[in-house]
Amino acid sequence: MLALGLGWGMFFLLKGVRLVALCELALMLLGAAVVVSALRERIRLAAWLAFIGLFVFVCLFSALLDVQTAQIPRSTHLFLLVLAACAHYVFRSEAPWLRYGLVGLFLAAFVVFAAMPQGIPGHDAIADDVRRIGIWVNLLTVVASLLVVLHLQESDSAAHRALHRALRDALASRRFVLFYQPQRDAQGRIVGAEALLRWRDPKRGLVAPGDFIQAAEDTGFILPLGQWVLATACQQLRQWRAHPRLGQLQLSINVSALQLRQPDFVPQVLTALQHAGIEGHRLTLELTESVLLDDLQSAVAKMRALRAAGIQLSLDDFGTGYSSLAYLRQMPLTELKIDRAFVAGIETDPHAASIARNLLRLGHDLGIDVIAEGIEEHAQYAYLRDHGCTRFQGYLFGRPMERTDFEALVDAAPPSPMD
Ligand code: C2E
Ligand code: MG
Ligand code: MG
């Protein structure tokens, strides 16, 4: 965008067509704004700026400046096809109505310009001799861009298919494993653990969920995978049942939006508990706010049914989503889990510390336990404890570890005042 604006801007400036040169300058500035946003890691903002800015630019340019004559057809509107193809690719993780709404908007504008070649009268259209060169440049750029987008989409979906196949094979060959990260209370006792998924791949090594959960969600594979996590966690609780310490622990598992949306999610959980012969209150399901936003009423109904069986419900990554008090009050949660973004900033960022304090107060006001995750420093732990936090999880107390290491850790823990 920067290069295109600069190139055409110089060209029109040399030709003495100032209005067009100014438009190209605006395009260049837009390009700069997009680059700055991307460098600041505000990728979504950068994408929206780029697409909406380019759309407005192409439409105005097509209507006012690139006006069809008997000799030379209009060509700027062809960029709307590139925008549509790019939007289809770039916005693939957005909600379908947004993604296809945007693509539809660009294609509709293309149709309008193709069907109505005349421009808005009274403006300085670009001269035909300039547009004669422009049409070649524009057409070649459009065709090359479309080829690049097609190539990107193809290689992306090939990689996606390969990953999906690898995940399916991994489940069939039992290459998924649960790691356990200890959760402690204010006295330092291990009172529970979060089960975190790992994929032991012969080629890739130990793969963290960040590298495959999104793909598993996109392909629906998270459903069988989530069932495996649920069944494995319940079996683990059963194996620990007779142990004096392990038998007292609470085990948390993560549940994705797609899982909760299944009409038979509640019976699935109850059956897994029944099969393993364990009580509901030993299991905690961690949900994120996005899970709840999809269809609040049905989510709340399922949560109530789970609570009726004693199952604990935790709101994961709390503070990063959209929950309002109105939402929170409706949900039968037993725990709020403060996201590690706020914990990390406690010592350095007064805003993060103030948010952490407010989240703790909110939990207290709602009568819900609050756990903080991502605690790495003793000072973070002390701050949270002094402000009413009752449960703690983070590298300071133990990283996610293999089952045997976790069992050894619990065994080796000094007797608590309650023992
Ligand atoms: P989460 O549920 O918020 O889990 C906490 C993540 O923070 C874990 O990353 C954990 O290893 C990491 N963590 C814990 N303490 C610290 C700390 O002190 N410092 C830092 N920097 N990180 C810490 P992990 O295991 O890579 O999991 C990432 C995410 O993947 C999880 O976030 C969860 O959303 C998802 N996930 C993991 N297992 C499952 C699963 O079985 N099902 C589903 N649907 N999602 C899962
Ligand atoms: Mg979690
Ligand atoms: Mg979390």
Side-chain angles (χ1 to χ4, degrees), residues 268-281:
Q268 270 178 32
V269 178
L270 299 183
T271 310
L273 284 172
Q274 225 167 25
H275 266 247
I278 50 164
E279 306 96 338
H281 67 87

Side-chain angles (χ1 to χ4, degrees), residues 40-263:
R40 289 186 179 171
E41 296 189 3
R42 304 195 61 185
I43 305 298
R44 202 159 178 259
L45 175 70
W48 278 105
L49 263 179
F51 279 92
I52 298 303
L54 278 172
F55 174 63
V56 172
F57 177 85
V58 171
C59 288
L60 288 178
F61 205 96
S62 301
L64 302 176
L65 302 170
D66 185 11
V67 177
Q68 173 139 335
T69 60
Q71 284 73 37
I72 309 289
R74 169 186 283 140
S75 61
T76 310
H77 69 297
L78 294 174
F79 281 102
L80 291 166
L81 291 178
V82 180
L83 278 185
C86 287
H88 185 258
Y89 178 66
V90 171
F91 293 104
R92 60 194 181 284
S93 314
E94 297 283 351
W97 67 267
L98 203 70
R99 181 187 188 193
Y100 287 99
L102 212 55
V103 172
L105 173 72
F106 297 157
L107 291 179
F110 169 78
V111 170
V112 169
F113 283 114
M116 297 201 304
Q118 66 276 24
I120 297 175
H123 285 275
D124 300 324
I126 303 171
D128 270 5
D129 60 330
V130 177
R131 294 195 317 110
R132 188 168 287 121
I133 309 169
I135 198 165
W136 280 100
V137 177
N138 286 350
L139 273 168
L140 288 173
T141 315
V142 165
V143 169
S145 310
L146 284 175
L147 278 176
V148 170
V149 177
L150 282 177
H151 174 71
L152 281 177
Q153 292 210 344
E154 174 52 29
S155 43
D156 207 46
S157 58
H160 218 71
R161 280 197 301 273
L163 182 59
H164 188 207
R165 250 196 323 272
L167 287 172
R168 264 202 335 250
D169 291 350
L171 189 59
S173 340
R174 299 168 182 271
R175 288 207 209 99
F176 284 106
V177 56
L178 288 183
F179 270 38
Y180 298 86
Q181 185 175 32
Q183 298 176 334
R184 302 201 183 232
D185 67 8
Q187 282 75 45
R189 291 173 297 208
I190 299 179
V191 287
E194 178 174 5
L196 292 156
L197 198 55
R198 297 288 180 269
W199 170 18
R200 241 191 256 288
D201 185 61
K203 280 194 229 128
R204 300 173 174 90
L206 196 64
V207 189
D211 293 335
F212 62 86
I213 284 287
Q214 189 57 53
E217 283 182 356
D218 293 346
T219 53
F221 179 70
I222 195 72
L223 296 177
L225 188 58
Q227 282 219 24
W228 179 86
V229 170
L230 175 67
T232 309
C234 289
Q235 288 305 327
Q236 194 54 70
L237 281 169
R238 181 190 172 83
Q239 281 173 24
W240 286 341
R241 207 167 43 166
H243 190 282
R245 287 189 182 173
L246 291 162
Q248 304 302 312
L249 299 185
Q250 185 79 32
L251 188 57
S252 302
I253 60 169
N254 292 282
V255 172
S256 87
L258 198 59
Q259 281 177 274
L260 188 73
R261 236 183 282 144
Q262 296 306 298

Side-chain angles (χ1 to χ4, degrees), residues 194 254 286 288 315-318 337-340 373:
E194 178 174 5
N254 292 282
E286 292 194 5
T288 53
L315 191 58
D316 203 355
D317 305 338
F318 183 50
K337 194 168 198 186
I338 300 183
D339 189 70
R340 72 165 183 265
E373 68 179 333

